[in-house]
Structure formats: structure tokens, C-alpha cells
Amino acid sequence: MAGFPLKGETTPTIFEKSVAGRRGTRMTRSDASPGPLSDLIPTRHLRGEPARLPEVPENEVVRHYTELSLKNHHVDRALYPLGSCTMKYNPKVNEATCRLPGFAGLHPFTPQASAQGALKLMFELAEMLKEVAGMDEVTLQPAAGAQGEMTGVLLMRAYHDAHGEGSTRRRILFPESAHGTNPATAAMAGFDAEEIPSDETGRVDLEALRENLDEAVAGLMLTNPNTLGVFESDIAEISRLVHEVGGLMYMDGANLNALMGVTRPGDMGYDVVHFNLHKTFSTPHGGGGPGAGPVAVKKHLAPYLPVPKVFRREDGSYGLDWDRPESVGKLHGFYGNFGVMVRAYTYMRMLGATGIRETAEAAVLNNAYLTALLKEDFDLPYGRGMHESVFSGSSLKKRTDIKTMDVAKRLLDYGFHAPTVYFPLNVPEALMTEPTETETKQELERYAAAMKAIAREAETDPELVATAPHTTPVRRLDEGRAARQLDLKWSFSGDAED
Ligand SMILES: *Cc1c(COP(=O)(O)O)cnc(C)c1O
């Protein structure tokens, strides 16, 4: 279909647009071209019938996907202020480098001698991450933040096992504001996950921590700045207390946007930290991946890192080390999500050490400005955060009955994605806002103007806000049902298999 859908019409899928015989390109057969496929591929591996692919001319393909891209909100369209999960702009140069044929076409079974460039990139990326983290060793293998956490917690378990305390150190502590993956990871790894309260500033309550510490504690999982955007200023004391009872310090470093190049988890006393390359180091994410969640550790946890590990030989060549007898094993096929590593490497090399620090400074400055613009219209229960601030729509709801979810939906009508909503759990009606480093002053002001306009509409025309969005391709969805009856597949009409 060209042009906008007519009334009552939905956008057809690319398969529904297919007409037999239509095609985008036509190759002339050269004399050098091989014979029938059956000459090349053993017949038992050939399909009986041709693959069902859509047959569509090139211009229709381009229009189809362009139209689909406009039905969705994405960071290439406008600000996407998702707190904690950082939707920063991903420079296009990252895409150019990760598509270089030498990287994109590399087979994971390529002999090491023929993959030196890729191994060198992985080695150097790990070196840079070590520097940012202030740690001694890095694995690039985990495919996501949650898997990085799993890796880190398994390393902690291996450490306690090796010290004869595997069966007694059963408890992993985390604060109220923690990302849900922290307790989930601890529980999956077989630990008792226990929440400790925060104080009125949103920080770990030191008294409560002290009361909870004993020889059964395997470790504390703590994000810093925490998920309220608040820096845990007692971090040195917290680390000391946890270490004093023999526990380990785990930092959820999914979002390092306030810290990188400024201060280092290793210097704060953490033993292990994971990164989300797809949040802090600019790889596109959302929709399920791919991502990368490398883990950095201090020396005492290094023997347990997953195999294989990239290393540099004395002669300057690179190799993969499988000979690590104390390793927790393998957590991902081959070596991790390599394309994500190329993007993160490009981003870090483009910025350099000074640029990385400036990125963090700009992220914090942008948030300070945006918070100043918004704090009159929305509550700020824990004050301004560093790279993100957690607002609350509680007063607005009391006054107008308009909920945070309504505000989030109405933002779409103004062309903005919502911030993270209803997280962290210790802030009612939470709007967790992270503008990121690349947004201009003008764009921040446009976003603030939209938020202020919605706060006014909530007073003057609550119905308009409560029924938003009005301008999007689909109206408000039943999110509960979408989560419970997930159905993402499209099948050929008349096709019985689903
Ligand atoms: C996003 C996030 C995670 C989980 O990362 P995934 O890559 O989605 O698994 C963990 N902790 C924090 C603080 C996060 O923001």
C-alpha cells in the first residue's frame, strides 16, 4: 500500500503485499554461475518446496518498512527519557563499523590466527572497561544485564565455595530501590534474597544494614547512583561493613552514565560489577536485544570467570584461553554478542578518556536542567538525582484523578516517549526520567513544556488525558492482557499451524 491506510484499513503485512513473480532485483545468469543447487548441497538437506518468502518490488519494501518505523516511537524520532534503562542516541558510526565485512562476516569457528582483529578488539574493549570500572579482569560473554548479574553472582558463589563457605553463606541483600533483576538473580542462583530498607534520603539505611549483616551474608547488590538517581555517599563505609563479615560487594552497573570517567566502582570497594553496553555504551536496545552485559571483577574473583577468555601473548598476538580450571564455565554460545562489542568499542574510542568523562558530566547537567524545569509541576520525593530523577505523580493524582500511566500515554500525543513509570517501587506513581547526554537545551525545554501542558490538561480536561493517546496508530492497549496472552506471531491466513 502506498500512502496512508484508508479508514478501516490496517497496514498489511509484507506477506499480504506479496504477489507471485514480483521481485526487487533480477540477476542475470552468468556463465560462471554454478549449476542447480542440488549439485552443491546434498539432496537430503534440500527443502522439497521453495521457502515462503514475500515477493515484493524494492520500492514497496522500502515504503513498507519506512511506514512501520513511523508507527513506533524510537530514539531516532525524539527524546526517549527512560530512566535506568537509558535510551541514549546511538551514533551511526557504530553501525558502520559493526557492519564492516571483516567483522560482520566473521564465522565463530574462524581459526584464531585468522581472527586476530576481532580478538584484539575484544581484548582492548575489556581493557577499557577495566579502566572505567577500576577492576582487574573482565569477561565480555554475558548477553544482557540480567545475565551479567547471574554471572557475577555465580562468581560470588564460586568464591565462597572455594573458601569452604558455600553452604553457609546463603543470604544476598539488596536495597528497596533495587532493579527487579537483582533479587530475581540472587534467587535463581539459589540464595535467599533479602531486602533492606532505605532511609528518608533514598540511600541504604546504615543502621538497618548493620543489623542485617552476619556470617551468612554472601554479598550486597547495590546500584550506585542507586535507582533513585541518588549517589550512595556512604559507599566506602557500606563496603567496609560488608567485607568485615566476609561478604562481597556487587555493583549493578547497568547504567554508568553518571559515573564513567568520573569515579570507579573498584575504588568504592566493589568486588564485582556488570555493565550494560546497550545502555551506557550506545548500542540500540529494546524489543529483547541483542545486548551485552560484561562483568568486571577484582583479582580474587578472576579465577572463576567464564571460559574462554581473550588474552594477549608476549609476541603481541591474541588467543582464547580455555584452560581455567576454576571457571564457572560458559554462559553464552561462542564469545558473546560480538556486534554489540564493536559498537561499544567504537563509541569509547570516538570519545576517548576525556570524552567519556564529559559524557557523564553532560548527562548529569542535562538532568539537573530538566529537573529544575519540572519540579514545580511534579513531586520530587527524593530530590534531584544525578543522571536521572524520580518524579512522582502522587499530588497530581490526588488533585485530578489523573494517574502516571495517563501522563505517560498523553506524552505520546506530544511526540515523546514516556519516562520509566511505576519504578522504582518505593516511589508511588513514579516517573523516572533520564534525558541522557546528547539532548539539546531546546529539546529538554520542549519536553518540559509537554509535561507542563499535560499537568494543566489534567486540571482543565482530565477526560482528554485519561483517554490518551489520541494521535497514535493504535489507542490505549490492554497491557495486562498483552502481557498475559502474548501473541507476537503472524501466520499465513488459512494456515492451521500457529
Ligand atoms: C536494565 C537494567 C538491568 C537489566 O539489564 P537487561 O540488559 O535488561 O537484562 C539491571 N539493572 C538495572 C539497574 C537496569 O537498569
Side-chain angles (χ1 to χ4, degrees), residues 254-271:
N255 184 332
L256 277 182
N257 286 295
L259 291 195
M260 56 176 180
V262 180
T263 178
R264 311 190 304 173
D267 301 338
M268 296 178 204
Y270 284 103
D271 303 284

Side-chain angles (χ1 to χ4, degrees), residues 72 111 124 135 176 188 226 283 291 304 310 323-324 357 361 436:
N72 219 334
E124 290 186 356
M135 296 281 183
E176 264 175 24
M188 267 183 79
N226 64 32
T283 248
Y304 317 112
V310 186
D323 185 19
R324 301 174 66 85
R357 185 191 176 102
E361 288 166 353
T436 79

Side-chain angles (χ1 to χ4, degrees), residues 369-385:
Y369 184 52
L370 185 61
T371 305
L373 295 177
L374 286 178
K375 68 173 186 229
E376 275 167 24
D377 299 83
F378 293 87
D379 311 328
L380 201 54
Y382 292 101
R384 166 163 67 80

Side-chain angles (χ1 to χ4, degrees), residues 321-350:
D321 180 12
W322 288 87
D323 185 19
R324 301 174 66 85
E326 293 180 274
S327 165
V328 295
K330 216 166 165 351
L331 280 118
H332 190 281
F334 303 110
Y335 323 108
N337 282 332
F338 181 66
V340 178
M341 297 173 203
V342 181
R343 290 179 176 96
Y345 179 87
T346 308
Y347 182 72
M348 294 177 89
R349 288 298 301 268
M350 294 286 289

